[in-house]
Amino acid sequence: MTPTLIWILVGLVAIGLYLSWTAGRLDRLHARIDATRAGLDAQLLRRASVAQELATSGVLDPAASIVLYEAAHAARQAEEEQREVAESELSQALRAVFGESAQVEAVREVPGGEAAARELTEAVRRVPMARRFHNDAVRAARALRRHRKVRWFRLAGHAAFPLAFEMDDEAPTALSERAPA
């Protein structure tokens, strides 16, 4: 074998290893997106469940209960295409109902209300974090998928292009004021 042929083979093997490593990295990023999406879904479900539980507890006034229940129910039942909108509407309903600290204090005063208010505060606080983790994973995968080598060699396979989860996740001021450290 000639030295030129050996160097060409070494170069091809090096390129193949690099492409294989890149494909593995992309696969790990897609797995991370799936894991963070499952975590986000769990936090969104928890927030909707706690809001629905509070709405049906009889602690809130009837109008606030109806608004909160309908938004939480819509968020839990939303199809994937409408999920971001439904979750944003639940955030808006939570801000409308718990915008003032008097409503939060009314919940805290009833038996078991302190625990319910704490659980709602934690659920509302965890949603933005879970969404941030998911969107960071999506951003990393998108950045890698934009590289020419990934597109030219089709290293992403048939995986769908990752989409960020965009929603209004601002917490009600009365709940964020007394959020646990």
Side-chain angles (χ1 to χ4, degrees):
M1 291 184 98
T2 65
T4 306
L5 188 58
I6 292 173
W7 282 112
I8 290 173
L9 287 174
V10 167
L12 288 175
V13 167
I15 290 171
L17 287 173
Y18 178 70
L19 290 175
S20 175
W21 175 80
T22 304
R25 181 171 170 231
L26 191 56
D27 186 52
R28 288 188 301 276
L29 282 172
H30 283 135
R32 186 172 137 208
I33 289 170
D34 291 342
T36 58
R37 181 58 192 243
L40 175 61
D41 287 342
Q43 293 305 324
L44 291 171
L45 181 62
R46 181 173 180 235
R47 180 181 76 152
S49 297
V50 171
Q52 206 168 20
E53 185 178 312
L54 266 174
T56 59
S57 68
V59 173
L60 304 173
D61 62 271
S65 292
I66 291 171
V67 167
L68 193 57
Y69 180 82
E70 286 181 355
H73 182 71
R76 290 182 72 173
Q77 301 298 320
E79 297 292 326
E80 193 60 36
E81 300 83 35
Q82 297 299 318
R83 184 96 188 265
E84 293 173 353
V85 173
E87 294 295 345
S88 294
E89 289 173 355
L90 177 56
S91 295
Q92 293 167 1
L94 285 166
R95 281 197 307 272
V97 172
F98 295 106
E100 297 177 10
S101 57
Q103 189 76 324
V104 177
E105 291 306 319
V107 169
R108 290 182 194 278
E109 290 172 2
V110 299
E114 185 69 36
R118 187 177 332 104
E119 190 175 358
L120 181 63
T121 301
E122 289 173 3
V124 166
R125 185 177 52 93
R126 288 179 181 168
V127 166
M129 289 189 299
R131 190 175 71 87
R132 194 172 315 121
F133 290 148
H134 173 69
N135 288 349
D136 286 346
V138 167
R139 198 171 303 114
R142 282 180 163 185
L144 184 58
R145 286 183 70 152
R146 282 191 198 107
H147 288 250
R148 275 186 232 140
K149 65 181 176 253
V150 173
R151 291 191 320 262
W152 287 351
F153 293 102
R154 299 181 185 191
L155 299 180
H158 298 288
F161 195 73
L163 299 174
F165 194 87
E166 298 300 332
M167 64 171 271
D168 174 9
D169 59 6
E170 184 181 338
T173 54
L175 289 177
S176 58
E177 289 171 355
R178 294 188 54 168

